[in-house]
């Protein structure tokens, strides 16, 4: 029955019309407060300055949680097999691994919608999740409000009986997380939202009309987008699922004009660049260029984000994952420092279990990152790019800058007791310290007028302020 509702969303007309009237009445009231500054076109929207909190934050946490967390099955293929794509892999793509998994583990006639009764989230605790995000050192948090299966983590009236209040955990997941995260003060709350739904009848109707009609956009997408902005006031909207249609079909320009002009988060909200064909890497505040784990390995002329996962092969939780499928803390920190040195932000994804737990391997990695940031955060938060980004051909030393101070982050502690930095130009005022230790370190000139050799022979491993990646603060260098 539920799967039938997913494929043919027979939304209660009265409920939908009431919701629509309430939402658009709020929009009308807000629109009267001031004149619109940004017009619903990219030429105007692209002129909006990016709120500065995002660049200062540098580090975020992403969470994928939904019905797909029940089967929690994915493959290690880099081209497909994500756990959160379970429905599509099983039903449409007929991925042999997913078909076999269902045949071996569930009775005949079992449908994707039947998983919802098993998704109870009995151990879900929004405060515990927020505590972990805070301990990770992250400054913003993004949770999936709706993935491509169309199931919403809030009581959307245009997703009747296909949301986390009517079914599953019977909780307003977004509401509980928004409250818990905002209680931390230092963390910005954000929402991931999939523009499209694989099997929504109205979307498939529009698609069959070559997107000349907008039934799905007008009756589902826009009411949901307005609703969760007004209800939860996210400061980051991470749009996705845009790749099948042009931005004109999604009415992206119209929505963003309202978001920037009249929404309750108009002064602080940021959005990514996934708003339809033709927008990736061109429009939106934060660029991902339509690529997960976007890491250009060079400077860009726009603000970008590396959205990546601790599980190398999936965004949703996988019960069949093995230890080697997860990034080590050294790999995570290397990704972090490289991303920040090139001017990007890093958002680290984890997938909770169906019962609402964040498994120990994810906890350990996030807590390790947090302990590292407690020592080295000075070189990360609010930092800027320096004139060079890495120091050696092996790319094992990375630079950031804050004010006139330069930070050199090394990924390997030297075996001979000397740290060699080839690019800094020292002056008679140069002072070198290791973050986490107060003592000034001896150094000498490497080449004529350029390069430093820092003497760290006196520092034993037991004295090191952290276990992985160490930061030298260089004051008075060019």
């Amino acid at each position: 029955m539920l799967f039938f509702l997913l494929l043919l969303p027979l939304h209660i007309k009265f409920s939908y019309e009431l919701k629509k009237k309430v939402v658009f009445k709020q929009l009308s009231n807000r629109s009267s407060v001031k004149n619109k500054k940004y017009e619903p076109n990219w030429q105007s929207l692209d002129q909006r300055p990016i709120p500065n909190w995002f660049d200062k934050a540098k580090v975020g946490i992403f969470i994928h949680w939904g019905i797909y967390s029940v089967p929690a099955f994915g493959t290690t293929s880099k081209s497909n097999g994500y756990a959160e794509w379970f429905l599509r892999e099983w039903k449409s793509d007929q991925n042999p691994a997913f078909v076999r998994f269902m045949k071996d583990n569930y009775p005949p006639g079992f449908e994707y919608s039947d998983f919802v009764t098993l998704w109870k989230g009995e151990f879900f605790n929004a405060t515990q999740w927020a505590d972990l995000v805070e301990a990770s050192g992250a400054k913003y948090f993004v949770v999936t409000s709706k993935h491509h299966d169309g199931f919403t983590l809030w009581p959307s009236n245009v997703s009747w009986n296909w949301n986390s209040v009517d079914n599953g955990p019977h909780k307003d997941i977004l509401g509980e997380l928004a409250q818990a995260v905002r209680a931390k003060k230092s963390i910005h709350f954000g929402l991931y939202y999939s523009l499209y739904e694989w099997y929504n009848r109205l979307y498939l109707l529009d698609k069959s009309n070559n997107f000349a009609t907008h039934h799905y956009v007008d009756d589902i997408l826009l009411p949901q987008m307005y609703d969760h902005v007004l209800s939860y006031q996210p400061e980051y909207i991470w749009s996705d699922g845009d790749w099948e249609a042009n931005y004109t079909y999604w009415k992206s320009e119209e929505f963003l004009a309202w978001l920037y002009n009249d929404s309750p988060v108009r002064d602080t909200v940021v959005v990514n660049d996934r708003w339809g064909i033709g927008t990736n890497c061109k429009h939106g505040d934060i660029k991902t260029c339509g690529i997960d784990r976007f890491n250009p390995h060079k400077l860009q002329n726009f603000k970008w984000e590396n959205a990546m996962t601790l599980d190398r092969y999936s965004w949703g939780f996988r019960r069949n994952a093995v230890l080697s499928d997860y990034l080590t803390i050294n790999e995570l920190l290397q990704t972090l420092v490289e991303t920040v040195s090139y001017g990007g932000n890093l958002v680290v994804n984890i997938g909770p279990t169906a019962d609402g737990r964040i498994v120990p391997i994810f906890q350990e990695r996030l807590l390790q990152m947090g302990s590292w940031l407690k020592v080295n955060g000075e070189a990360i938060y609010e930092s800027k790019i320096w004139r060079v980004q890495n120091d050696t051909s092996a790319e094992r030393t990375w630079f950031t800058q804050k004010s006139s101070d330069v930070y050199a982050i090394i990924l390997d502690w030297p075996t001979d007791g000397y740290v060699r930095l080839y690019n800094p130009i020292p002056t008679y005022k140069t002072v070198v310290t290791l973050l986490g230790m107060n003592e000034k370190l001896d150094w000498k000139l490497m080449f004529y007028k350029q390069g430093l050799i820092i003497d760290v022979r006196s520092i034993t491993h037991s004295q090191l302020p952290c276990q992985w990646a160490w930061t030298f603060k260089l004051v008075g260098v060019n």
Side-chain angles (χ1 to χ4, degrees):
M1 179 63 177
L2 285 174
F3 191 67
F4 177 73
L5 287 172
L6 175 63
L7 294 176
L8 300 172
L10 304 177
H11 307 297
I12 295 177
K13 187 70 174 177
F14 174 77
S15 176
Y16 165 65
E17 291 298 336
L18 179 61
K19 186 71 170 182
K20 186 176 179 182
K21 288 178 181 178
V22 170
V23 170
F24 282 94
K25 182 178 180 181
Q26 290 172 305
L27 300 186
S28 177
N29 289 341
R30 290 187 179 278
S31 296
S32 65
V33 174
K34 65 171 187 174
N35 293 327
K36 288 184 181 295
K37 181 178 180 182
Y38 300 102
E39 297 297 323
N41 60 71
W42 293 120
Q43 183 178 3
S44 176
L45 296 170
D46 289 344
Q47 300 305 310
R48 178 180 181 260
I50 302 174
N52 60 13
W53 73 261
F54 185 83
D55 183 57
K56 291 180 178 180
K58 303 300 183 187
V59 187
I61 298 298
F62 213 147
I63 280 186
H64 277 63
W65 198 40
I67 296 174
Y68 45 82
S69 303
V70 177
F73 174 82
T75 67
T76 55
S77 168
K78 292 184 179 180
S79 60
N80 56 24
Y82 288 155
E84 70 281 2
W85 279 59
F86 189 94
L87 174 58
R88 180 66 176 264
E89 293 291 333
W90 171 33
K91 287 294 186 179
S92 292
D93 296 341
Q94 292 288 294
N95 186 316
F98 287 75
V99 173
R100 185 170 57 254
F101 174 81
M102 290 303 300
K103 182 178 179 180
D104 291 346
N105 296 284
Y106 295 91
F110 193 97
E111 294 291 354
Y112 183 76
S113 58
D114 295 324
F115 283 125
V116 75
T117 61
L118 304 176
W119 183 43
K120 299 179 180 180
E122 57 266 38
F123 296 122
F124 168 65
N125 185 308
T127 299
Q128 290 179 356
W129 285 21
D131 288 344
L132 180 60
V133 173
E134 181 180 49
S136 76
K139 300 301 181 182
Y140 61 99
F141 171 80
V142 180
V143 62
T144 47
S145 68
K146 184 187 78 170
H147 209 263
H148 310 324
D149 59 9
F151 193 94
T152 68
L153 270 62
W154 85 99
S156 168
N157 278 3
V158 296
S159 187
W160 179 78
N161 213 33
W162 198 240
N163 66 73
S164 64
V165 174
D166 291 340
N167 260 299
H170 295 287
K171 295 180 179 180
D172 180 358
I173 303 298
L174 299 190
E176 293 187 26
L177 285 172
Q179 182 178 4
V181 168
R182 289 201 173 97
K184 298 302 181 182
K185 305 296 184 183
S186 63
I187 305 173
H188 297 266
F189 182 71
L191 297 176
Y192 165 104
Y193 180 83
S194 173
L195 297 183
Y196 87 149
E197 298 177 18
W198 287 314
Y199 303 116
N200 187 290
R201 178 181 63 86
L202 296 179
Y203 178 73
L204 294 177
L205 176 62
D206 289 344
K207 187 176 179 179
S208 69
N209 291 327
N210 200 28
F211 299 112
T213 55
H214 296 80
H215 302 297
Y216 169 77
V217 172
D218 292 337
D219 290 356
I220 305 296
L221 186 149
L222 288 178
Q224 286 184 342
M225 293 285 275
Y226 291 132
D227 180 25
H228 74 1
V229 170
L230 292 170
S231 298
Y232 307 107
Q233 301 187 19
E235 292 182 277
Y236 192 3
I237 296 180
W238 215 98
S239 179
D240 195 21
D242 64 314
W243 47 80
E244 289 190 347
N246 193 279
Y247 59 83
T248 55
Y249 167 73
W250 302 116
K251 297 188 178 181
S252 299
E253 293 164 308
E254 291 87 339
F255 172 75
L256 292 177
W258 169 78
L259 187 70
Y260 290 170
N261 289 319
D262 299 309
S263 77
V265 289
R266 58 186 174 271
D267 296 327
T268 58
V269 71
V270 297
V271 302
N272 67 352
D273 58 346
R274 302 185 184 190
W275 294 97
I277 296 172
T279 63
N280 290 171
C281 241
K282 295 180 180 179
H283 306 297
D285 303 310
I286 314 303
K287 308 299 190 295
T288 67
C289 296
I291 303 172
D292 295 340
R293 303 176 182 85
F294 177 57
N295 189 348
H297 303 289
K298 61 182 180 180
L299 294 179
Q300 302 296 311
N301 61 358
F302 48 69
K303 183 61 190 180
W304 59 279
E305 181 184 60
N306 182 351
M308 47 76 71
T309 61
L310 287 181
D311 180 341
R312 303 175 197 273
Y313 306 106
S314 183
W315 297 74
F317 179 68
R318 288 190 305 130
R319 291 182 292 166
N320 57 317
V322 298
L323 183 60
S324 60
D325 290 342
Y326 300 106
L327 295 185
T328 66
I329 183 58
N330 290 296
E331 290 172 316
L332 175 59
L333 292 179
Q334 179 174 351
T335 304
L336 171 60
V337 298
E338 179 182 2
T339 297
V340 173
S341 71
Y342 281 126
N345 277 27
L346 185 74
V347 60
V348 182
N349 177 79
I350 59 174
T353 62
D355 56 19
R357 292 174 296 117
I358 296 175
V359 294
I361 188 67
F362 288 147
Q363 292 186 42
E364 181 182 59
R365 290 293 177 272
L366 296 189
L367 292 174
Q368 288 172 329
M369 182 175 72
S371 69
W372 186 84
L373 284 167
K374 282 184 179 179
V375 175
N376 301 278
E378 180 181 339
I380 301 296
Y381 305 124
E382 302 187 29
S383 65
K384 301 295 181 182
I385 58 172
W386 193 43
R387 59 178 174 81
V388 297
Q389 281 61 62
N390 61 75
D391 200 61
T392 66
S393 58
E395 297 187 350
R396 301 292 292 175
T397 299
W398 299 90
F399 293 106
T400 63
Q401 182 177 14
K402 189 181 297 182
S403 298
S404 59
D405 300 330
V406 175
Y407 299 89
I409 305 172
I410 65 171
L411 301 179
D412 304 304
W413 192 257
T415 56
D416 64 355
Y418 294 99
V419 174
R420 294 168 177 83
L421 303 177
Y422 293 84
N423 284 281
I425 301 173
T427 68
Y428 70 94
K429 295 182 179 179
T430 296
V431 173
V432 179
T433 56
L434 180 65
L435 291 189
M437 301 183 70
N438 296 322
E439 295 82 1
K440 296 179 181 179
L441 297 173
D442 293 332
W443 61 272
K444 61 182 179 181
L445 192 63
M446 181 181 294
F447 304 115
Y448 175 67
K449 292 187 177 181
Q450 184 165 328
L452 291 171
I453 300 177
I454 305 169
D455 188 345
V456 295
R457 290 176 299 171
S458 63
I459 303 175
T460 64
H461 278 279
S462 63
Q463 294 175 314
L464 289 174
C466 56
Q467 299 180 56
W468 330 270
W470 302 269
T471 305
F472 291 89
K473 183 176 181 178
L474 313 177
V475 178
V477 299
N478 299 315

